[in-house]
Amino acid sequence: MSSTSEPPGEGGRTVGEVGERGILGEVFGVLAEHGAAAGSLRDVVVGPGDDTAHLRVRTGAVLATTDTMVRGQDWLDAWSTGQDVGEKIVTQNLADLASMGGRGTGVLVTLLCDRELPLAWCRDLTTGLARACSRAGVPVVGGDLSAAGPGVVAVSVTALGELAEGIPGAVLRSGARPGDVLAVSGPLGRSHAGLEQLRAGARQGRWVDHHLRPWVDLEQGPVAALAGATAMIDVSDGLGRDGGRVARASGVDLLLDEAAVDDLAARLAPELGLEAARRAVLGGGEEHELLATFPVGAVPTGWVVLGGAEQVQGEPTVRLGEQALDPDGGGWDHFGG
Amino acid sequence: MSSTSEPPGEGGRTVGEVGERGILGEVFGVLAEHGAAAGSLRDVVVGPGDDTAHLRVRTGAVLATTDTMVRGQDWLDAWSTGQDVGEKIVTQNLADLASMGGRGTGVLVTLLCDRELPLAWCRDLTTGLARACSRAGVPVVGGDLSAAGPGVVAVSVTALGELAEGIPGAVLRSGARPGDVLAVSGPLGRSHAGLEQLRAGARQGRWVDHHLRPWVDLEQGPVAALAGATAMIDVSDGLGRDGGRVARASGVDLLLDEAAVDDLAARLAPELGLEAARRAVLGGGEEHELLATFPVGAVPTGWVVLGGAEQVQGEPTVRLGEQALDPDGGGWDHFGG
């Protein structure tokens, strides 16, 4: 199941065999090793072990977001280790905070699983959670364990955070104005490129690694907010779909520059071919780079300019030259399939 | 499945048929009807629809807790409607806040489900969530939807809250001192009595209703904290198990008064018989009444005195007369079974 797990039936114990206390013993041990235990961070008034966590709030308001990953739906055991899953789910939650101009202050983690799940997988998951939390300086402050039917494994993370100091308000999706510059905090399409390579049989490589454990510079969220970003979102469902959300919320059209898209695609073209690379840039999800609009002249260093916001013409859309991107194309609907 | 759901295959649509947007349309409609939508409450800076929620915090710190209910594990469709599940999971999360001396300020809800789940069940669930949230004055501020394999339905709630005004610190499990009085905010054993009646074939009645939709006066949490409670927990896993948690965290023995236990049991005895009634009082979970210790003379009006805290003798235990209650008996381990 996981490359570092003992396979079941070869001496590895299951979560059902060790019970709730046994699982928690493992979890708290791994968190402590990685400095992601609640006691190690200054803003935790009460950590795990009581009825609720209690976190200090400096800015007068708390950011809160939650995301779930489900085995077979959001990851395949053949491709992802427990550690991959743990890193990815923390990153995607923290990217949601970053895209408001925020930073994490604590996470709650829920594991829902089959009693037959190897304890080693649970330990791997915790290692991944702990690594990502530790890198971001965010403690695990609470959570829940629940047993579920055969084969079910689902991991939910709720991330709490605050706006970084000096940022007057959260950066919403709705603030883009005609004339703003559209930019992204890093290259797009890497996660999709990795997914294509996994489908083609690859098991490692830089794009594969980015798909399994997307990593972006979350500090660019506060950087963008301080620079005056007017709207921001992280690219979790694709440039067309997430850009469309900003366009609709703001009541603008977003116009993508063909040369900028081609530049991004060129980085992926040697592996994917040019057409697939363009599709990866325009439609690839799970990137978690930040997509934002800025007043002219305010784009932070290192961001990639993609185009700009324009006066809306009819329904708000994302356009590449004259062509409107399908807001539901190349993206992801959990139920639409 | 639910008494108010259209059964699948008789004209009822499934969540897979309406997709993510269709589900969210239903959900936001039901929340708005019940006044549990985020826009209706003053402390919501940013509600659902952006990357994260943003909630005003008045007291300098936020309380956060999470709980999951799984179909087949935490409820049976034959006994519980979607509405029952929605009410119960909000109540059990808010009871965790109350037991620290807190009140809710917002909840995040995650639904993980089979694509074949009837949309009507999802609507029922939302009605239950909205009813409980509305009663407590707490908005739904965000959440997540995820598809899962056949037959899987799981609902997670993360509740955020704050200490009530005038309370200097959260009431922990660890503050009980020898000489303190042990008391509970209401009668115990009702949920267990209802479970026994469901097992015996009943489908309604006051204990059955309490099991399906436990309701307790959550305001007693702040009341107890203001009265000077030294330790507090809600009875989710049984008096033996939850009392044991307070005893161990505080390093005291808790001595239960036999007459007090008999008085509580007497209320249930006509339905259950005396012995089963005593087991319900001592071991019944999912009660969510608040169990707290107070300095002598500080027990709030309406609370039921159960005994007191004493100097520890060896391992901290909960004792009924000379008999130590098994800390793992009559309680609930999600994995131990």
Side-chain angles (χ1 to χ4, degrees), chain B residues 323-335:
Chain B
Q323 180 204 346
L325 298 191
D326 177 0
D328 294 330
W332 183 253
D333 180 323
H334 281 286
F335 290 90

PDB file of all heavy atoms in Angstrom, chain B residues 323-335:
ATOM      1  N   GLN B 323     -16.638   0.253  44.979  1.00  0.00           N
ATOM      2  CA  GLN B 323     -16.370  -0.402  43.707  1.00  0.00           C
ATOM      3  C   GLN B 323     -15.836   0.588  42.665  1.00  0.00           C
ATOM      4  O   GLN B 323     -16.455   1.619  42.399  1.00  0.00           O
ATOM      5  CB  GLN B 323     -17.705  -1.009  43.211  1.00  0.00           C
ATOM      6  CG  GLN B 323     -17.620  -1.724  41.892  1.00  0.00           C
ATOM      7  CD  GLN B 323     -18.990  -1.757  41.207  1.00  0.00           C
ATOM      8  OE1 GLN B 323     -20.019  -1.475  41.829  1.00  0.00           O
ATOM      9  NE2 GLN B 323     -19.004  -2.099  39.931  1.00  0.00           N
ATOM     10  N   ALA B 324     -14.650   0.278  42.081  1.00  0.00           N
ATOM     11  CA  ALA B 324     -14.109   1.134  41.015  1.00  0.00           C
ATOM     12  C   ALA B 324     -14.811   0.805  39.707  1.00  0.00           C
ATOM     13  O   ALA B 324     -14.941  -0.369  39.350  1.00  0.00           O
ATOM     14  CB  ALA B 324     -12.608   0.907  40.878  1.00  0.00           C
ATOM     15  N   LEU B 325     -15.278   1.833  38.995  1.00  0.00           N
ATOM     16  CA  LEU B 325     -15.869   1.594  37.674  1.00  0.00           C
ATOM     17  C   LEU B 325     -14.741   1.304  36.699  1.00  0.00           C
ATOM     18  O   LEU B 325     -13.705   1.960  36.726  1.00  0.00           O
ATOM     19  CB  LEU B 325     -16.637   2.821  37.181  1.00  0.00           C
ATOM     20  CG  LEU B 325     -17.822   3.302  37.992  1.00  0.00           C
ATOM     21  CD1 LEU B 325     -18.597   4.349  37.200  1.00  0.00           C
ATOM     22  CD2 LEU B 325     -18.737   2.147  38.360  1.00  0.00           C
ATOM     23  N   ASP B 326     -14.978   0.346  35.827  1.00  0.00           N
ATOM     24  CA  ASP B 326     -13.999   0.042  34.789  1.00  0.00           C
ATOM     25  C   ASP B 326     -13.912   1.236  33.832  1.00  0.00           C
ATOM     26  O   ASP B 326     -14.908   1.582  33.200  1.00  0.00           O
ATOM     27  CB  ASP B 326     -14.469  -1.217  34.045  1.00  0.00           C
ATOM     28  CG  ASP B 326     -13.555  -1.582  32.898  1.00  0.00           C
ATOM     29  OD1 ASP B 326     -12.562  -0.868  32.667  1.00  0.00           O
ATOM     30  OD2 ASP B 326     -13.844  -2.591  32.237  1.00  0.00           O
ATOM     31  N   PRO B 327     -12.730   1.878  33.720  1.00  0.00           N
ATOM     32  CA  PRO B 327     -12.654   3.065  32.858  1.00  0.00           C
ATOM     33  C   PRO B 327     -12.912   2.736  31.388  1.00  0.00           C
ATOM     34  O   PRO B 327     -13.249   3.616  30.598  1.00  0.00           O
ATOM     35  CB  PRO B 327     -11.223   3.558  33.049  1.00  0.00           C
ATOM     36  CG  PRO B 327     -10.454   2.387  33.562  1.00  0.00           C
ATOM     37  CD  PRO B 327     -11.432   1.536  34.311  1.00  0.00           C
ATOM     38  N   ASP B 328     -12.759   1.481  30.987  1.00  0.00           N
ATOM     39  CA  ASP B 328     -13.029   1.104  29.597  1.00  0.00           C
ATOM     40  C   ASP B 328     -14.370   0.399  29.445  1.00  0.00           C
ATOM     41  O   ASP B 328     -14.733  -0.029  28.357  1.00  0.00           O
ATOM     42  CB  ASP B 328     -11.919   0.177  29.067  1.00  0.00           C
ATOM     43  CG  ASP B 328     -10.608   0.918  28.976  1.00  0.00           C
ATOM     44  OD1 ASP B 328     -10.645   2.148  28.763  1.00  0.00           O
ATOM     45  OD2 ASP B 328      -9.559   0.278  29.135  1.00  0.00           O
ATOM     46  N   GLY B 329     -15.089   0.251  30.551  1.00  0.00           N
ATOM     47  CA  GLY B 329     -16.340  -0.517  30.504  1.00  0.00           C
ATOM     48  C   GLY B 329     -17.523   0.381  30.211  1.00  0.00           C
ATOM     49  O   GLY B 329     -17.561   1.524  30.619  1.00  0.00           O
ATOM     50  N   GLY B 330     -18.464  -0.164  29.485  1.00  0.00           N
ATOM     51  CA  GLY B 330     -19.706   0.555  29.223  1.00  0.00           C
ATOM     52  C   GLY B 330     -19.495   1.781  28.363  1.00  0.00           C
ATOM     53  O   GLY B 330     -20.402   2.565  28.173  1.00  0.00           O
ATOM     54  N   GLY B 331     -18.316   1.944  27.840  1.00  0.00           N
ATOM     55  CA  GLY B 331     -18.038   3.132  27.039  1.00  0.00           C
ATOM     56  C   GLY B 331     -17.869   2.756  25.589  1.00  0.00           C
ATOM     57  O   GLY B 331     -18.446   1.796  25.115  1.00  0.00           O
ATOM     58  N   TRP B 332     -17.037   3.475  24.903  1.00  0.00           N
ATOM     59  CA  TRP B 332     -17.028   3.374  23.464  1.00  0.00           C
ATOM     60  C   TRP B 332     -15.627   3.641  22.943  1.00  0.00           C
ATOM     61  O   TRP B 332     -15.045   4.682  23.190  1.00  0.00           O
ATOM     62  CB  TRP B 332     -18.015   4.405  22.902  1.00  0.00           C
ATOM     63  CG  TRP B 332     -18.119   4.325  21.423  1.00  0.00           C
ATOM     64  CD1 TRP B 332     -17.613   5.209  20.520  1.00  0.00           C
ATOM     65  CD2 TRP B 332     -18.744   3.290  20.665  1.00  0.00           C
ATOM     66  NE1 TRP B 332     -17.889   4.790  19.250  1.00  0.00           N
ATOM     67  CE2 TRP B 332     -18.583   3.623  19.310  1.00  0.00           C
ATOM     68  CE3 TRP B 332     -19.418   2.119  21.009  1.00  0.00           C
ATOM     69  CZ2 TRP B 332     -19.080   2.816  18.290  1.00  0.00           C
ATOM     70  CZ3 TRP B 332     -19.906   1.323  19.996  1.00  0.00           C
ATOM     71  CH2 TRP B 332     -19.745   1.670  18.652  1.00  0.00           C
ATOM     72  N   ASP B 333     -15.071   2.665  22.228  1.00  0.00           N
ATOM     73  CA  ASP B 333     -13.809   2.843  21.519  1.00  0.00           C
ATOM     74  C   ASP B 333     -14.125   2.578  20.054  1.00  0.00           C
ATOM     75  O   ASP B 333     -14.594   1.490  19.707  1.00  0.00           O
ATOM     76  CB  ASP B 333     -12.760   1.843  22.037  1.00  0.00           C
ATOM     77  CG  ASP B 333     -11.414   1.981  21.324  1.00  0.00           C
ATOM     78  OD1 ASP B 333     -11.396   2.249  20.104  1.00  0.00           O
ATOM     79  OD2 ASP B 333     -10.392   1.811  21.990  1.00  0.00           O
ATOM     80  N   HIS B 334     -13.911   3.585  19.200  1.00  0.00           N
ATOM     81  CA  HIS B 334     -14.301   3.452  17.795  1.00  0.00           C
ATOM     82  C   HIS B 334     -13.649   2.248  17.134  1.00  0.00           C
ATOM     83  O   HIS B 334     -14.191   1.682  16.209  1.00  0.00           O
ATOM     84  CB  HIS B 334     -13.923   4.708  17.020  1.00  0.00           C
ATOM     85  CG  HIS B 334     -14.883   5.820  17.230  1.00  0.00           C
ATOM     86  ND1 HIS B 334     -16.118   5.839  16.662  1.00  0.00           N
ATOM     87  CD2 HIS B 334     -14.803   6.942  17.974  1.00  0.00           C
ATOM     88  CE1 HIS B 334     -16.758   6.940  17.025  1.00  0.00           C
ATOM     89  NE2 HIS B 334     -15.976   7.624  17.820  1.00  0.00           N
ATOM     90  N   PHE B 335     -12.467   1.897  17.590  1.00  0.00           N
ATOM     91  CA  PHE B 335     -11.757   0.801  16.938  1.00  0.00           C
ATOM     92  C   PHE B 335     -11.705  -0.463  17.770  1.00  0.00           C
ATOM     93  O   PHE B 335     -11.572  -1.549  17.239  1.00  0.00           O
ATOM     94  CB  PHE B 335     -10.341   1.254  16.553  1.00  0.00           C
ATOM     95  CG  PHE B 335     -10.370   2.247  15.457  1.00  0.00           C
ATOM     96  CD1 PHE B 335     -10.441   3.592  15.725  1.00  0.00           C
ATOM     97  CD2 PHE B 335     -10.409   1.829  14.135  1.00  0.00           C
ATOM     98  CE1 PHE B 335     -10.518   4.511  14.697  1.00  0.00           C
ATOM     99  CE2 PHE B 335     -10.480   2.736  13.109  1.00  0.00           C
ATOM    100  CZ  PHE B 335     -10.531   4.083  13.386  1.00  0.00           C
TER     101      PHE B 335
END
